[in-house]
Amino acid sequence: MTNELKGKVNYSVNGNIAILEVDNPPVNPLSSGVRAGLAEFIEKANSDDSIKGIILTGAGRSFIAGADISEFGKSFDGPDLNSTLRDIEFSKKPVIAAINGTALGGGLETALVCNYRMGTNKAIVGLPEVNLGLLPGAGGTQRLPRLVGPSQALKMMLSGAPLSAEKALTSGILDAISENSLIEDAIEFLQDKIELSEHPKVRDKNEKVLEARGSENVLAEAKALAAKTRRGQFAPGQIIACVEAAINEDDFDAGLKKESEYFLECLMNPQREAMIHIFFGERAASKISDIPKDTPLMSINSAGIVGSGTMGGGIAMNLANAGIPVLVLDQDEKNLERGMGVIEKNYQMMVDRGRMSEEQKEKVFGLITPTLSYEDLANVDIVVEAVYENLELKQEIFKTLDSVTNNNTILASNTSGLDIDALASVTERPGKVVGTHFFSPANVMRLLEVVRGKDSSDETMATVMSLGKRMGKAAVVSLNAPGFIGNRMLAGYTYQANMLLLEGALPSQVDNALESFGMSMGPFRMLDLVGLDLGWRARKLANIETPLANKISDELCERDRFGQKNSRGFYNYSEGSRAPNPAPENEEIYKEISEKNNIKRREISDQEIIDRCILALVNEGARILEEGVAQRSGDMDIVYINGYGFPIWRGGPMFYANQLGLKEVIKKMDVFSELDKEFWKPAPLLQKLSDQSASFGEAPPVGERSELLSFKQANMGGV
Ligand code: 3HC
């Protein structure tokens, strides 16, 4: 093996058993050195007469986390994966996979070419390639259906969701679970099999695929599942086509050949690059560029929430699901009771849908305790304030928390836009104050904006980011600036949607265009969901004249159309339904308002709708990046995919702009500037990168670019 290869395999012998241990920290992907090591040591074990069986296992916490994702789209060194797996599958000596942790993607595919599979009770197996715009391309689409049946294999491959050891055992992926020492148990297992003249190979197990032959049901169900859960994605159709081959091809190798062809098509598809950008982008976002990697983390073993409303309840569930006991405080007993009731109902719904057992529900719900007294929060490690958006109220709460909790407690606010420094300033511990902006419903949405105040300490930031990961969130750091990252970008997007309505488009056209682009919900359906009256009431209260873009929605409110909450807004809704129906009675209003404001309505193309709304995100994103409010352009992609329904397969708005080419972005904006010169002025960073024929990823890291801004200095651009 040469030094340039990445990762290695350790070889040792225990009696008559060779042990191959994949060693490529931290999670043992099948990088070049691992593939080379496996090929070399399978050969070595096979040519050593004293060896009668082989154990394949992983060092550390993972078995094998799959193919090395960083190799995709590049040329690679060492043997290819399929030939390495062939060496294992046709080993003369029996091979057992001793699965010590995660066996994902190519990791599970490696285990599937072994004759036997044993896991610890912490083992996790799955084929998550679909999340990367790929299909299992090392035989997984042909072998898994043979082991668990095509229907379950399709569910696993289309969802990408892994199975626990227990489920892997019942579904036939594992032959046994080790309760003690995995390697000792694997040796014992192999000793029992050594004398057998033949050892089972998954490729030969045809019963389950033959059973499905001739029936359309399995594939039809899979297509329906893919259409529902993976709208617009390329890989799911390819996965289904592979399984169709597994069912219908008589020759196993013919199925494998099809899998390779379909895999290559996924690999060449732009969706793969976009989704892998998101995989690495999420991991990059979890790091704070100017905070040392070894910053000590505070341990978070208990938490408090102030406010038992929808947000407070959702956040409490996140913490409890991560195993952290939570005290939920509300000063109103009735609210508290109601809040706890909603939490229990949410958990019950998960039980009813089969997502959680009754036992698990008891366990997590048991971690959430209601309280009416601030004194009970004295010794918790973190408190998240989640009351409604009112600075004075939040400042009062922070003062109280500062006096009742011990000095080490982190004080976090779930504000969606208030000044974190103004909250920190009323405490004696500004270093321990931070924003944690969860998205609603907090127990479902993955995005967490972690807002860095001017005094938030490195330790506080690193601890909250790590807590985000523990809760399964996609955590992104934002500087403490108006709208943070997500809502600031959203403002321009919604502004354009509203202007398109004034210029001649109908809500359904705008929504349909953006939903076909891949957004999970168009802007007018979203506005109806949020409630049109919020802005209208706020403007009335503050005596602010309605801005042009809001003239239509305010007029709808004047006519008692508030959105879903009273079954009419931009759309009409039937009682108890969220499905939007056309509201032709609104069309006269749209015409009237356009006319009153001297706007000539015209035919607007779907492409113009998409370009104006999405490029509004991009231009504001460029300003956010330039100001250092976001650390990197990929962070904004993570925000938009996890918090605002942007299609993952397009890689987020900034990645989308890169793929379009920044020169093309500027060209399109130039055309729109005829409509609104100020709005479509390119952000200086966008212009600069375009002039240099560069892209957003190539922008220098924050710190070199500009001084970090304070809340008040931040420029809201054209929003
Ligand atoms: N290839 C390359 N690097 C990988 C990797 C992989 N398969 N899996 C993880 N890494 C890297 C991460 O980028 C991260 O790097 P960093 O420290 O520089 O940021 C590091 O390993 C640790 O990863 P996580 O932070 O994600 O560690 P966790 O402990 O939170 O999670 C995990 C571990 C569950 C294994 C998670 O990393 C994961 O889901 N990995 C990807 C699994 C996957 O998708 N496998 C399929 C790959 S495609 C394939 O196999 C194709 C085949 O069919 C041919």
Side-chain angles (χ1 to χ4, degrees), residues 189-297:
F189 187 99
L190 268 188
Q191 298 296 1
D192 274 353
K193 309 283 180 190
I194 279 171
E195 296 307 323
L196 296 179
S197 57
E198 265 196 70
H199 299 280
K201 284 189 180 33
V202 177
R203 60 156 50 219
D204 299 330
K205 294 179 190 269
N206 289 324
E207 309 87 79
K208 292 193 168 145
V209 285
L210 288 176
E211 258 171 44
R213 196 176 278 185
S215 152
E216 285 296 307
N217 288 353
V218 172
L219 298 175
E221 276 167 23
K223 283 177 192 160
L225 178 69
K228 189 167 158 213
T229 57
R230 300 236 169 228
R231 187 163 60 91
Q233 295 186 23
F234 179 69
Q238 304 287 95
I239 290 174
I240 297 169
C242 287
V243 175
E244 193 171 359
I247 294 172
N248 293 327
E249 292 284 353
D250 286 322
D251 175 16
F252 179 84
D253 288 311
L256 268 192
K257 190 161 167 280
K258 284 217 163 127
E259 181 192 86
S260 292
E261 286 164 21
Y262 297 147
F263 181 80
L264 198 64
E265 285 174 19
C266 289
L267 200 62
M268 307 304 281
N269 192 288
Q271 293 193 5
R272 186 270 308 161
E273 200 186 340
M275 291 166 87
I276 287 184
H277 159 72
I278 292 304
F279 176 84
F280 286 117
E282 191 172 318
R283 279 146 188 89
S286 69
K287 297 170 182 116
I288 310 175
S289 40
D290 60 339
I291 293 187
K293 245 185 171 175
D294 53 1
T295 301
L297 300 180

Side-chain angles (χ1 to χ4, degrees), residues 6 24-31 61-62 64-72 81-82 102 104-107 109 124 126-132 134-140 259 263 276 279-280 283-284 286-287 293 469:
K6 193 173 151 206
N24 189 15
V27 292
N28 301 332
L30 291 154
S31 312
R61 61 187 157 106
S62 180
I64 297 172
D68 185 335
I69 300 171
S70 64
E71 286 183 355
F72 291 127
L81 183 56
N82 278 312
T102 34
L104 296 177
E109 290 173 299
I124 284 176
L127 294 176
E129 285 87 343
V130 71
N131 296 325
L132 303 170
L134 287 170
L135 57 83
E259 181 192 86
F263 181 80
I276 287 184
F279 176 84
F280 286 117
R283 279 146 188 89
S286 69
K287 297 170 182 116
K293 245 185 171 175
K469 182 165 183 178

Side-chain angles (χ1 to χ4, degrees), residues 44 142 240 258 340 411 498 559 618:
K44 179 171 171 162
Q142 305 303 300
I240 297 169
K258 284 217 163 127
M340 290 298 289
L411 303 183
N498 280 321
R559 299 185 192 208
V618 173

